Amino acid sequence: SIDVGGVGIARVGGVCETWPTRPNPNRSVAKYTFLIPQEEVAEFGLVPRLIGPSGRNMRRVWLATGCKVRVRGMGSGYRERRSKKEAPVPLQIVVSAETAEQL
């Protein structure tokens, strides 16, 4: 678990996961998933702070580290392509990179 501005965030798994990507199954991606306690998030404003105006903060992280940050789940504001609704899963932050060493 890590602490971000007084909000305790639990990392899922303990080790990063690696999986093949589409459309190139020979390429893989490593990721860490963090579950966010939703009752604490609204007061702190985690999602808007993380994303930043027009996604600037997420882009800054990507440019500095090569890691992509995604916010998904209930309370994220992200609507899935097919359902056009937030995913029915707990709020989570997923950090992904081409290698586990980048994470």
Side-chain angles (χ1 to χ4, degrees):
S1 155
I2 60 173
D3 182 71
V4 177
V7 177
I9 298 176
R11 184 173 70 200
V12 176
V15 295
C16 71
E17 305 169 60
T18 304
W19 74 98
T21 62
R22 288 178 283 179
N24 184 354
N26 295 324
R27 185 174 153 248
S28 65
V29 175
K31 73 172 183 172
Y32 273 117
T33 302
F34 298 88
L35 294 180
I36 311 301
Q38 195 164 7
E39 59 278 353
E40 297 181 35
V41 170
E43 196 173 307
F44 179 68
L46 179 68
V47 174
R49 287 181 191 214
L50 181 65
I51 295 171
S54 301
R56 273 189 228 140
N57 294 345
M58 293 180 119
R59 181 166 175 77
R60 198 174 300 143
V61 169
W62 175 71
L63 290 172
T65 66
C67 296
K68 291 187 178 181
V69 178
R70 293 180 177 82
V71 181
R72 296 289 189 269
M74 298 182 304
S76 68
Y78 179 79
R79 306 210 183 282
E80 300 293 327
R81 289 182 191 172
R82 291 186 180 157
S83 69
K84 306 293 185 215
K85 297 178 183 177
E86 290 180 341
V89 297
L91 184 62
Q92 51 191 271
I93 297 172
V94 180
V95 181
S96 62
E98 290 191 18
T99 67
E101 290 75 29
Q102 284 179 283
L103 298 174

